[in-house]
Amino acid sequence: MPETNKAVLNKTEKNKNVINKTVLAYSGGLDTSIIMKWLQDQYHCEVVTFTADIGQGEDLEPARRKAEKFGVKEIFIEDLKEEFARDYVFPMMRANTIYEGEYMLGTAIARPLIAKRLVEIARKTGADAIAHGATGKGNDQVRFEVSAYALNPDIRIIAPWREWDLTSRERLMAYAETHGIEVEKKRDGGSPYSIDANLLHISHEGGELEDPWNTPDDQVWSWTTSPMDAPDEAEQLIIGFSGGDITTIDGKALTPDEVLIALNTLGCKHGIGRADIVENRYVGMKNRGCYETPGGAIMLKTHRAMESLTLDREVAHLKDELMPRYAKLIYNGYWFSPERLMMQKMIDASQESVNGEVRIRLYKGNVDVLGRQSASDSLFDKKIVTFEEDAGAYDQSDATGFIKLNALRLRIAANRKRDTDF
Ligand code: ARG
């Protein structure tokens, strides 16, 4: 092992049990409230809380109140919606990203941003560690930690779920009770699901969904109207693109977060973007989840339509070949890796010509493209493609040689076969 690595390891080894200050990704919910207290007790360290508004649609003030109650002196509550939409969701959408053919990565794409802010706040407050409430079974722990290490190789990370003995709901409740942590009594008795929400999606896992044969209970779908109950009147819209990003809806200029909010509202109304899927987690197990990505589904469909008119064939095909790789990188937590950054540069470069408008109709779970146009970048040439008289724009006899040369090897092989057959 090189000397430098040894030195780094020794340094870490020596300070192993001493943590002075930890920045906790704090949602204000029960689990992370328990973690807040547990960190104070187990590590005897000062806890800094960080709560982000990434569009999960929850009031964040209770998080402040609860943190104050437990003596937290440095409380960070930040609105990250704009940054999330602009620097994470939009770049990802430029690649038409989908994991395993179905999952729009709503949770995966939010994790690097949260990790980045944790690391930045640790630097700012002089904390030596960060902590999160992701369990030891999931992808989120990997995404948080891989991202954090990429941004600060010396950061210490505490993942209480992998350390503590609070391994059941019962034990957690008992801990909460002993330590005066409030357990909210929800009107519906609390959701039986593990939920994660942000501006791009809401996900549900667990409960009856753990049997992949079970049909999800109606209450799983919490954002979108059922396509069966969606309005009988279709709605038409014109989505405007500039450099591969949606910048207008019906001619109105919007920022990326405003675009997502507007498309979510429309998508929810028309029952768009539901997915009930079984996916492969990075840690090796399969998982069943129900996802609602209403705005994202509209973005994806319209973006593809815009690209269909404005991208060169080989550029489009190359993007499509690389997309699953890119999706896997994001799913597995490698947003800040050199290979993701390299691919992003390539994807972004391809988007220069993706300008124009797509006209769509939303109707009972469907996004139908009704038309597309690009005054500046359309590669669609009616003069050439027309079924009518093309006035010499295209010489059909050129196709004879094209086909003959492309078929040459097949003819040689067929000839050989004929020779041996007889
Ligand atoms: N299975 C999805 C993913 O890995 C969703 C995870 C949701 N996370 C959560 N903490 N409930 O991206």
Side-chain angles (χ1 to χ4, degrees):
M1 186 188 299
E3 274 312 304
T4 44
N5 283 1
K6 249 192 234 161
V8 169
L9 277 185
N10 286 342
K11 204 169 84 199
T12 332
E13 244 3 74
K14 232 192 329 217
N15 299 331
K16 198 167 177 185
N17 298 312
V18 192
I19 283 174
N20 298 310
K21 206 191 249 192
T22 305
V23 186
L24 168 65
Y26 182 52
S27 71
L30 178 64
D31 291 10
T32 49
S33 295
I34 290 173
I35 290 176
M36 176 169 62
K37 177 68 183 144
W38 184 89
L39 287 170
Q40 291 170 337
D41 287 355
Q42 292 291 314
Y43 282 87
H44 307 288
C45 64
E46 199 180 323
V47 175
V48 176
T49 58
F50 163 57
T51 308
D53 178 1
I54 41 168
Q56 65 271 47
E58 268 168 25
D59 179 13
L60 301 185
E61 274 317 302
R64 182 189 303 283
R65 187 173 46 74
K66 289 181 195 172
E68 277 168 357
K69 182 178 162 198
F70 283 85
V72 174
K73 289 199 277 297
E74 293 169 287
I75 298 171
F76 290 80
I77 297 183
E78 298 177 352
D79 181 351
L80 299 183
K81 292 198 291 292
E82 196 185 326
E83 185 178 0
F84 177 53
R86 185 192 60 223
D87 298 341
Y88 294 79
V89 177
F90 270 46
M92 177 173 82
M93 286 289 175
R94 286 175 211 143
N96 304 317
T97 315
I98 300 251
Y99 179 69
E100 295 184 342
E102 301 246 34
Y103 175 37
M104 297 195 66
L105 296 172
T107 294
I109 191 62
R111 297 321 194 189
L113 172 57
I114 294 168
K116 173 172 154 279
R117 284 307 292 147
L118 284 171
V119 167
E120 284 166 356
I121 292 168
R123 195 166 289 146
K124 193 160 149 182
T125 59
D128 33 22
I130 59 169
H132 63 75
T135 76
K137 285 193 175 183
N139 297 310
D140 290 328
Q141 53 174 347
V142 184
R143 296 165 183 156
F144 280 135
E145 297 180 32
V146 167
S147 297
Y149 283 134
L151 300 172
N152 179 351
D154 300 321
I155 197 74
R156 309 271 298 277
I157 301 172
I158 307 174
W161 279 102
R162 303 199 298 250
E163 287 183 33
W164 67 21
D165 56 4
L166 304 176
T167 45
S168 66
R169 271 287 125 191
E170 210 174 310
R171 286 192 189 188
L172 279 169
M173 292 303 191
Y175 188 93
E177 198 160 322
T178 322
H179 295 90
I181 296 162
E182 64 185 271
V183 181
E184 272 146 35
K185 297 268 178 297
K186 293 193 182 136
R187 254 171 296 130
D188 58 0
S191 169
Y193 307 106
S194 168
I195 299 174
D196 180 60
N198 59 45
L199 217 46
L200 183 58
H201 90 163
I202 183 163
S203 71
H204 289 81
E205 294 172 345
E208 90 274 7
L209 301 178
E210 285 179 3
D211 179 345
W213 181 247
N214 277 344
T215 309
D217 210 272
D218 274 348
Q219 74 186 57
V220 163
W221 307 109
S222 47
W223 278 10
T224 53
T225 311
S226 160
M228 285 183 280
D229 300 329
D232 290 330
E233 298 76 43
E235 197 161 349
Q236 287 199 23
L237 300 165
I238 295 178
I239 308 291
F241 282 86
S242 173
D245 293 336
I246 297 178
T247 49
T248 64
I249 298 178
D250 280 340
K252 186 167 178 252
L254 299 170
T255 58
D257 50 320
E258 290 169 342
V259 165
L260 263 177
I261 291 167
L263 294 182
N264 278 340
T265 307
L266 288 159
C268 283
K269 177 176 161 194
H270 291 282
I272 288 156
R274 289 185 175 190
D276 170 354
I277 54 193
V278 172
E279 85 215 30
N280 289 294
R281 281 190 191 161
Y282 192 25
V283 293
M285 64 187 88
K286 288 189 190 293
N287 162 60
R288 196 268 191 96
C290 287
Y291 305 97
E292 293 166 271
T293 320
I298 302 174
M299 287 180 81
L300 180 72
K301 185 82 184 204
T302 51
H303 184 255
R304 273 206 172 275
M306 197 73 264
E307 285 193 336
S308 71
L309 202 61
T310 56
L311 280 192
D312 170 75
R313 178 187 70 195
E314 295 305 315
V315 169
H317 290 189
L318 184 57
K319 278 190 81 219
D320 275 349
E321 280 173 41
L322 292 173
M323 184 280 281
R325 272 293 283 281
Y326 177 83
K328 190 152 99 175
L329 287 177
I330 297 175
Y331 187 86
N332 290 351
Y334 295 88
W335 180 257
F336 294 115
S337 68
E339 65 275 26
R340 201 284 300 178
L341 294 166
M342 181 190 85
M343 288 174 90
Q344 192 70 54
K345 285 216 169 87
M346 200 191 71
I347 292 158
D348 290 351
S350 74
Q351 299 296 290
E352 273 168 35
S353 65
V354 184
N355 304 303
E357 291 84 38
V358 177
R359 192 155 42 83
I360 54 168
R361 178 178 58 207
L362 309 180
Y363 182 66
K364 293 192 188 289
N366 294 299
V367 184
D368 295 323
V369 175
L370 304 179
R372 64 296 269 162
Q373 65 179 5
S374 172
S376 55
D377 295 280
S378 176
L379 297 172
F380 191 97
D381 194 330
K382 187 177 170 202
K383 281 201 304 296
I384 290 179
V385 77
T386 185
F387 283 100
E388 309 304 328
E389 177 54 58
D390 66 15
Y394 177 90
D395 184 349
Q396 297 210 25
S397 68
D398 284 351
T400 312
F402 173 79
I403 295 163
K404 273 204 158 159
L405 284 187
N406 275 297
L408 182 58
R409 65 197 171 87
L410 306 182
R411 294 173 79 202
I412 290 170
N415 250 331
R416 191 186 175 82
K417 194 155 175 288
R418 192 172 52 191
D419 290 348
T420 50
D421 279 353
F422 296 104

